[in-house]
Amino acid sequence: MLGNDDKRTGVLFVCLGNICRSPMAEGAFRSAAARAGLDCVTDSVGTAAYHLGEAPDDRAIATAAAHDVDISGLRGRQLEAEDFRRFNHIFALDTANLFAIKAKAPLDGIAKVALLMDLVKGREGTAVKDPYYGDMKGFETAWKDVSVAADALVKMIARKIPAAND
Ligand code: 4NP
C-alpha cells in the first residue's frame, strides 16, 4: 500500500472473486516489473466478497507456477474506498467489474480506473474471460491475456519515470 511519502506507482487489479484473474494479473505484473527493474506497489482485490482471506484458486496457482510465478501467498480481499486513495491505477479485468469499481469510487480518490485489456493494441474494450467455471484451458488463456497486458503496463509506467540524467 502507498503511504503519503511513497513515490512508487501503485497498481491494483480487480476482478469479481479475487481468486482467479486478478491474482494472475498481479503475479504477471509483479514478474514483468521485476524483469524490467521497476519498483511498484501492487495488489489485487475482488468487487465481491465471496472469497475473503482465501488463497487463489488451485488452477490459477498451477497456471502461474507453470510460468514460474508464485501466487500461492496471495489472499482474497474486497475493493474498498481507501484503494482509490492509495493506488494510482486501478485495472478492471472485465466491463462488469469496471462499472462496479466506478460505482464505489469516493470523491477524493486519485486512482485512474480503466479496463486492463485497453492497454493492449487490438484488444481494447475486451474482457479477460472468467475461467472459474471452465477448465485449465481457460486459465491458460487468461494468463496469456494478463501477461500481454502486464508487459504493456510496465512499458507505460517505465516511460513516465525519467532517467537519472534527464
Ligand atoms: P475471478 O473468478 O473473478 O476471476 O476471481 C471468479 C471466482 C469466483 C467466483 C466467480 C468468479 N464465484 O462466483 O465464486
Side-chain angles (χ1 to χ4, degrees), residues 14-24 46 50-51 57 93-94 97 128-133 139:
V14 187
C15 62
L16 179 63
N18 191 211
I19 55 167
C20 298
R21 291 165 295 171
S22 62
M24 288 198 288
Y50 306 145
H51 299 282
D57 187 285
L93 276 284
D94 63 29
N97 284 298
V128 175
K129 262 178 77 182
D130 187 353
Y132 184 64
Y133 294 104
F139 280 83

Side-chain angles (χ1 to χ4, degrees), residues 61-76:
I61 293 175
T63 303
H67 295 274
D68 296 321
V69 178
D70 181 9
I71 61 168
S72 64
L74 303 181
R75 293 294 177 266

Side-chain angles (χ1 to χ4, degrees), residues 25 27 68 90-91 110 113 135 148 154 157:
D68 296 321
I90 297 180
F91 288 105
I110 58 140
V113 180
D135 57 18
V148 175
V154 164
I157 294 172

Side-chain angles (χ1 to χ4, degrees), residues 4-37:
N4 286 341
D5 54 353
D6 192 333
K7 299 284 179 268
R8 291 177 295 168
T9 300
V11 183
L12 182 69
F13 299 95
V14 187
C15 62
L16 179 63
N18 191 211
I19 55 167
C20 298
R21 291 165 295 171
S22 62
M24 288 198 288
E26 180 180 352
F29 177 71
R30 279 178 190 265
S31 168
R35 282 196 306 276

Side-chain angles (χ1 to χ4, degrees), residues 2 9 36 41 60 73 85 108 117 134 136:
L2 291 174
T9 300
V41 177
R85 305 183 191 104
D108 61 347
M117 293 312 286
M136 282 300 283

Side-chain angles (χ1 to χ4, degrees), residues 23-107:
M24 288 198 288
E26 180 180 352
F29 177 71
R30 279 178 190 265
S31 168
R35 282 196 306 276
L38 195 65
D39 189 15
C40 290
V41 177
T42 311
D43 201 0
S44 59
V45 294
T47 53
Y50 306 145
H51 299 282
L52 303 184
E54 292 180 23
D57 187 285
D58 286 344
R59 297 164 295 173
I61 293 175
T63 303
H67 295 274
D68 296 321
V69 178
D70 181 9
I71 61 168
S72 64
L74 303 181
R75 293 294 177 266
R77 81 172 175 88
Q78 190 175 22
L79 180 68
E80 57 191 26
E82 196 56 24
D83 289 320
F84 293 86
R85 305 183 191 104
R86 289 180 177 145
F87 291 92
N88 304 94
H89 298 280
I90 297 180
F91 288 105
L93 276 284
D94 63 29
T95 312
N97 284 298
L98 181 64
F99 287 126
I101 295 163
K102 287 183 174 171
K104 273 200 177 182
L107 290 173

